Amino acid sequence: MTTSWGIDLVKRISWGFISLKCPEGLCYGTLAVHRMCFSLSLWHIILGLLTMGVVDSRHPRAKLQNGFWLPKFVGWLLLAALSFAIPNGFFEFYSRYVAMAGAAVFLLIQLVLLVDFAYNLAEGCIDRWEETERPLWRNLLVSGTIGVYVAFVGMTVVDYVFFAAEGCGRNQFFITANMLACIGVSAISVHPRVQEANLKSGLAQAGMVSAYATYLVTSALAGSPPGKPESGEPVCNPWAGMAGARATMAVVGAFFTIGAICYSTTNAAVKGNMLIRSNSEYEALAGDESSGPMAGESNAQLRENALREAVASGALPLSALNDYEGDTGSDSDDEKSGVQYNYTYFHVIFCLAAMYVAMLLTNWNSISSEDRVIIIGRSHTAVWVKIVTSWLCILMYSWSMVAPIVLPDREWS
């Protein structure tokens, strides 16, 4: 969608019989990418509105979330086709303000989840080690911590060797600032006061955050524009002219980008109740399961047991139990007493993710229509987005460590 490559491929495959004549920006280019992603975002907004207020699978609109896959796919295709009839002026405004703002929000959610992932992974190993006393979990935690710090040191060395040449002051600042920040958060993570506030905080989480932040810096520097040596500019990105290094970074970047989007999207969507925790009906349903004398039973089990007792005592006819079993459906339905996640929030996250993907594919609205190969992240805008993202990641993790000390009266989990 970003270049005329697809149109040229169709022409070659058809031996010239199919030749699409489309102005740039309508069938391919930056605005074409935004048209497709806009249709996907709009479709998720529609589905989010249609599923608003659904609290269990017995609700008539619950099937819109868990079924009707072919009609939903056809509906998105229709929106995608209709998006090409919208004037370019609308998408120029949408790409500059709406999509960029949505991508920024998703990026913040992604960073929160990545920090949460670092904590969960390290604490999971510690819990397993304490419960089983097996050295496997201790060795896994120690080797993993050493591995992420080796990756941090290795990428930092690579950055200094290839991207910190004489005259590349900006690159030198990025590399040094990241290195000092990572060393700082590592020192904070083992500080006695931090350890006292959070016994499971340590170098494992700090190492994962440091490795990820350093990867962002390396990716930003490797994807920066090559510069113009003929005009006297220093060569601050020698990898720009190396086909092998460029291809390697493109493949690694693509896999990491897809993996990060998939993990962040699915986890943010399913963990919506934790990110927007309130006294909602979803939380109330979950809270009922952990209270009362039979806390180990689900709502469905409690209701069914109560009905069986009422039927056995003669307070209700047998038809009441039969009607209940018919309404709840099959035993494999785990949402008949309450949904597992907020359906509307699920679609909001995917809407924001579509905007973020549009920004990635268009290099944050700075892709060139003359490119024959799609290279994700090669622009000054993309460089600054990655650098600022690395800073925010370190700041968020630092706050997660010092927050229990600064605000001791609050409950932190």
Side-chain angles (χ1 to χ4, degrees):
M1 292 300 297
T2 55
T3 72
S4 60
W5 176 84
I7 295 177
D8 295 339
L9 179 62
V10 171
K11 184 177 180 180
R12 289 197 302 270
I13 293 176
S14 63
W15 291 285
F17 288 103
I18 301 177
S19 181
L20 301 177
K21 302 296 182 180
C22 294
E24 191 276 333
L26 184 62
C27 289
Y28 63 91
T30 300
L31 297 184
V33 173
H34 282 293
R35 291 175 191 274
M36 297 297 294
C37 293
F38 165 78
S39 63
L40 187 58
S41 295
L42 180 60
W43 188 229
H44 278 292
I45 291 176
I46 294 173
L47 291 177
L49 293 174
L50 291 176
T51 56
M52 183 178 295
V54 175
V55 296
D56 55 54
S57 60
R58 292 174 292 174
H59 196 286
R61 287 184 280 118
K63 295 181 180 179
L64 293 174
Q65 177 73 9
N66 302 313
F68 298 110
W69 301 109
L70 182 59
K72 286 192 290 189
F73 180 70
V74 173
W76 172 69
L77 289 180
L78 290 175
L79 285 180
L82 291 175
S83 68
F84 284 87
I86 301 176
N88 284 350
F90 170 80
F91 286 102
E92 291 176 0
F93 172 84
Y94 172 80
S95 62
R96 291 175 183 174
Y97 302 102
V98 180
M100 187 168 289
V105 173
F106 180 80
L107 197 57
L108 292 176
I109 296 174
Q110 183 185 51
L111 290 178
V112 171
L113 289 171
L114 287 171
V115 173
D116 178 68
F117 170 77
Y119 273 104
N120 289 339
L121 186 61
E123 292 179 4
C125 290
I126 294 175
D127 290 339
R128 294 290 184 90
W129 178 25
E130 293 176 348
E131 292 173 2
T132 63
E133 296 184 353
R134 295 179 59 187
L136 169 65
W137 299 105
R138 179 196 61 195
N139 297 337
L140 182 63
L141 182 64
V142 172
S143 60
T145 302
I146 295 175
V148 290
Y149 273 106
V150 168
F152 158 66
V153 173
M155 286 186 289
T156 302
V157 171
V158 169
D159 292 342
Y160 272 116
V161 171
F162 289 97
F163 307 115
E166 184 178 357
C168 303
R170 189 189 68 171
N171 289 3
Q172 295 171 2
F173 168 75
F174 288 158
I175 300 169
T176 305
N178 177 77
M179 180 184 66
L180 295 178
C182 292
I183 294 175
V185 296
S186 299
I188 294 174
S189 68
V190 295
H191 191 276
R193 292 195 62 186
V194 173
Q195 292 282 309
E196 182 181 357
N198 186 358
L199 297 177
K200 296 180 181 179
S201 176
L203 292 176
Q205 298 95 322
M208 283 185 274
V209 171
S210 299
Y212 177 70
T214 307
Y215 163 77
L216 288 176
V217 173
T218 304
S219 177
L221 299 179
S224 61
K228 300 178 180 179
E230 61 276 5
S231 61
E233 295 182 7
V235 180
C236 299
N237 182 15
W239 288 9
M242 300 168 58
R246 187 170 64 246
T248 301
M249 287 302 298
V251 172
V252 173
F255 274 106
F256 194 93
T257 298
I258 294 172
I261 291 175
C262 292
Y263 173 81
S264 301
T265 303
T266 53
N267 279 269
V270 174
K271 294 182 179 180
N273 292 335
M274 292 190 297
L275 295 176
I276 55 172
R277 187 172 295 279
S278 62
N279 295 325
S280 64
E281 52 194 343
Y282 301 96
E283 191 172 351
L285 285 169
D288 290 343
E289 297 182 8
S290 58
S291 61
M294 293 181 288
E297 298 183 76
S298 65
N299 283 337
Q301 293 171 325
L302 292 172
R303 292 174 184 174
E304 185 174 350
N305 291 339
L307 277 174
R308 290 185 182 276
E309 292 176 1
V311 170
S313 65
L316 289 175
L318 181 61
S319 59
L321 182 59
N322 294 334
D323 292 341
Y324 173 77
E325 291 177 348
D327 291 339
T328 55
S330 63
D331 294 335
S332 61
D333 187 359
D334 60 350
E335 294 186 325
K336 56 189 176 184
S337 61
V339 295
Q340 300 296 315
Y341 56 92
N342 189 315
Y343 289 168
T344 300
Y345 186 78
F346 177 91
H347 291 291
V348 169
I349 290 296
F350 271 83
C351 170
L352 297 175
M355 297 180 185
Y356 179 65
V357 170
M359 288 292 105
L360 286 179
L361 293 178
T362 60
N363 286 342
W364 297 81
N365 292 331
S366 59
I367 195 169
S368 174
S369 61
E370 298 178 358
D371 292 338
R372 302 298 295 182
V373 179
I374 301 173
I375 302 176
I376 298 176
R378 178 150 297 172
S379 68
H380 289 292
T381 305
V383 169
W384 278 105
V385 167
K386 292 178 180 179
I387 293 296
V388 172
T389 300
S390 69
W391 293 345
L392 288 175
C393 184
I394 293 175
L395 286 175
M396 285 185 179
Y397 174 65
S398 301
W399 172 247
S400 71
M401 291 188 293
V402 302
I405 301 175
V406 178
L407 302 173
D409 296 332
R410 289 193 57 181
E411 181 180 354
W412 301 92
S413 58

